[in-house]
Every structure is written in structure tokens, then in C-alpha cells.
Amino acid sequence: MCILIAVIDKRNAEEFFKGFPIDAFFMSISGISLTEGLTDYGLGEYQVKMKLLEISRNCTVLADSSKFDIASLLKVCQFDRIDRIISDSKLSEKILKKYEKEGIEIVNK
């Protein structure tokens, strides 16, 4: 197993990641919305996230409870492109059930 943690210039992201077999991608996100999907503010990170989503086998989103039912500037992807969301224990039961009803796996224990 190889763990790769990198901060990369967005212009070189496609070339850099092209040669790596990425099994698991853990992605932070600024907004999670049933209508807008997964959104972010970081324009500089956007291309890197898009490339990693394309080449990774699995994607886990890491987001605290304040990110739910929020939409930010850039649409990163819809829920069908991720495998699960890991959040904190402060996520309300109402929001948890709403997302789980749509088939979205949330781990928040």
C-alpha cells in the first residue's frame, strides 16, 4: 500500500498524478448539498481534486457537520462519484437521515 500526501501546483496535477495508481482519495470539501452536490471554494485545488476523482478507485469525503446543506462556489461532483462521507458527531439526526434516505453513506461516530 502506498500513501501519497501532496500539495501540488494545479498546473502540474494531471501530469504528476498520471503515473500513480490511486486506491483511496480522501477529499475535504466546503459544501454538501442534496441539490448542488459537493462544492468547494478553492479554485487552486479544484483541478487537483477533479484529476484525483478521475483516477482514484474510491473517494471518501471528509467534512465537519457545518458543511451540510451548504453550497459553495465550485461544483466538484455529485454523490454518485464518492463512496462515503466522514463527519463529526455533531451532525444532526435529521440531516443524517435526510442524506441516508438518498443512499449516501455517512460515518459520524
Side-chain angles (χ1 to χ4, degrees):
M1 169 165 60
C2 174
I3 298 174
L4 173 67
I5 300 172
V7 176
I8 305 216
D9 184 308
K10 65 182 177 182
R11 294 167 297 194
N12 299 324
E14 273 194 55
E15 190 63 33
F16 180 82
F17 289 115
K18 186 167 55 175
F20 288 100
I22 308 291
D23 290 326
F25 171 37
F26 291 84
M27 175 174 66
S28 64
I29 208 77
S30 298
I32 300 171
S33 163
L34 286 176
T35 56
E36 301 299 321
L38 299 149
T39 57
D40 211 355
Y41 290 112
L43 188 57
E45 300 166 3
Y46 178 76
Q47 288 177 311
V48 174
K49 287 180 180 182
M50 297 305 289
K51 185 60 180 178
L52 286 168
L53 276 169
E54 178 188 321
I55 64 174
S56 64
R57 291 188 182 119
N58 298 296
C59 178
T60 298
V61 172
L62 306 172
D64 66 66
S65 56
S66 70
K67 307 299 191 260
F68 284 81
D69 288 346
I70 300 287
S72 31
L73 183 63
L74 302 166
K75 183 169 186 163
V76 176
C77 66
Q78 284 291 22
F79 295 101
D80 63 345
R81 185 54 197 94
I82 67 164
D83 297 285
R84 74 197 51 80
I85 299 170
I86 297 177
S87 188
D88 58 54
S89 60
K90 295 177 185 175
L91 187 64
S92 76
E93 193 67 26
K94 180 181 177 183
I95 290 177
L96 179 63
K97 287 181 191 263
K98 179 169 75 170
Y99 282 79
E100 286 179 339
K101 182 179 176 187
E102 297 299 320
I104 301 159
E105 180 186 350
I106 299 175
V107 178
N108 72 325
K109 306 279 184 215

